Amino acid sequence: MRAMPSRLSLSLAILTTAACESASAAPDAAVVTDAPRPDVVEADVAAEPDVPTPADAPRVIEPCDAGAGDGGIVVRGRAYNFGPTGGASLRGAVIRVLEHPERCVTLGDSNDFSFGGFVAGEPVSLTMDHPDYVPIQTGTHSVPSTGITGITFQAPTWGIYRLMATAAREVPQGDRCQIAATVTALGLSIDSPTPSHGEAGATVTIEPDPGDAVGPIYFNYYGPGSILPDRALRETTRDGGVLWLNVRPGEYVLTAHKAGVNITQARFRCRAGVLVNASPPMGLQVVP
């Protein structure tokens, strides 16, 4: 799951129109682009999943009354809105260190953040809470002696979360987590000035076996700004995105496979009710 400022504009138009159609509507009623229509949406226009939202189960977000940590090694990053306004402010979002919940920051007009007080080799996972967004968490990373620069959030609103669930034909369960990652091409990342930055033709596996979880589901690429999860795909497209849905809580490792290509692994701490996304450049990244 990448974040370009307009990467979901056409996808949202396709899904929003499809969700408003009845099952007997004309198949061409939702055509908004010359790209191929995703069959998954056409087949399920009358069966949008009943995805929980804050109105169904109000969440209390604890304010950040502590600091970001002093001294030691520093971890820096940026939060993105996963949608048409990828650079929009996430003002008011509270970001915490999962392993050190006393360390937190509240985003202002800037989406950049930093934490201090780490020692080399310790694990770090960051969480983000905002009433308009799905609770989200980064992958889990080992802090190097030089620190981390570039850890990212790609946060979908509740509306986009519902639309993606519709396309994936799966209802997110509250006692499970949802896992996402992007197989990212060599030298590219979230801010790369390209219409897509995924590595096509890769397969992704998860360990340990997640049992009855659903995945992998790869994202189809229909053109700039038009992507959707597609359960018929068997490998990554130019988008590079991949999902595992309704995963039981625990610790997992994602591994991407493509002949002749070296790709870093992504580690996760799966917690109930959370979307965990190892987004670029700290996920499944192609390296020399």
Side-chain angles (χ1 to χ4, degrees), residues 75 77-79 95-99 113 124-128 135-141 148 150-154 180 266-271 274-279 282:
V75 171
R78 178 177 293 177
I95 299 177
R96 299 180 187 274
V97 180
L98 182 63
E99 294 81 5
F113 56 84
V124 58
S125 319
L126 302 181
T127 68
M128 191 185 87
I136 192 168
Q137 181 177 309
T138 67
T140 299
H141 310 284
I148 295 177
I151 193 168
T152 61
F153 288 99
Q154 290 179 292
R267 299 179 180 276
F268 297 86
R269 289 183 170 173
C270 169
R271 297 184 300 128
V274 174
L275 168 63
V276 190
N277 187 356
S279 56
M282 304 291 293

Side-chain angles (χ1 to χ4, degrees), residues 44-261:
D44 290 73
V45 295
E48 181 178 356
D50 185 18
V51 181
T53 66
D56 302 318
R59 296 187 307 115
V60 176
I61 298 175
E62 295 185 11
C64 175
D65 297 324
D70 298 320
I73 300 173
V74 177
V75 171
R76 296 182 173 87
R78 178 177 293 177
Y80 293 84
N81 176 351
F82 177 70
T85 56
S89 172
L90 293 169
R91 186 179 183 87
V94 176
I95 299 177
R96 299 180 187 274
V97 180
L98 182 63
E99 294 81 5
H100 300 278
E102 74 281 1
R103 300 181 200 172
C104 61
V105 297
T106 301
L107 295 183
D109 292 332
S110 171
N111 290 348
D112 295 328
F113 56 84
S114 64
F115 291 92
F118 294 98
V119 298
E122 74 170 305
V124 58
S125 319
L126 302 181
T127 68
M128 191 185 87
D129 282 290
H130 186 290
D132 297 334
Y133 292 82
V134 176
I136 192 168
Q137 181 177 309
T138 67
T140 299
H141 310 284
S142 178
V143 178
S145 59
T146 54
I148 295 177
T149 299
I151 193 168
T152 61
F153 288 99
Q154 290 179 292
T157 64
W158 284 100
I160 290 178
Y161 188 65
R162 292 178 65 90
L163 292 170
M164 291 295 106
T166 299
R169 295 184 295 174
E170 191 70 19
V171 178
Q173 299 175 18
D175 61 348
R176 305 290 182 94
C177 85
Q178 317 306 320
I179 290 178
T182 301
V183 183
T184 309
L186 180 66
L188 299 182
S189 190
I190 286 179
D191 290 325
S192 299
T194 56
S196 63
H197 48 250
E199 179 74 17
T203 58
V204 184
T205 56
I206 186 171
E207 293 182 343
D209 185 347
D212 59 351
V214 178
I217 302 174
Y218 299 102
F219 275 76
N220 212 337
Y221 179 85
Y222 296 97
S226 183
I227 55 95
L228 285 173
D230 186 340
R231 291 176 71 148
L233 294 175
R234 295 296 176 261
E235 61 184 23
T236 57
T237 66
R238 285 180 55 185
D239 179 73
V242 62
L243 299 171
W244 256 272
L245 304 180
N246 291 329
V247 181
R248 295 181 185 277
E251 297 192 7
Y252 297 89
V253 177
L254 292 187
T255 304
H257 313 268
K258 184 176 179 179
V261 179

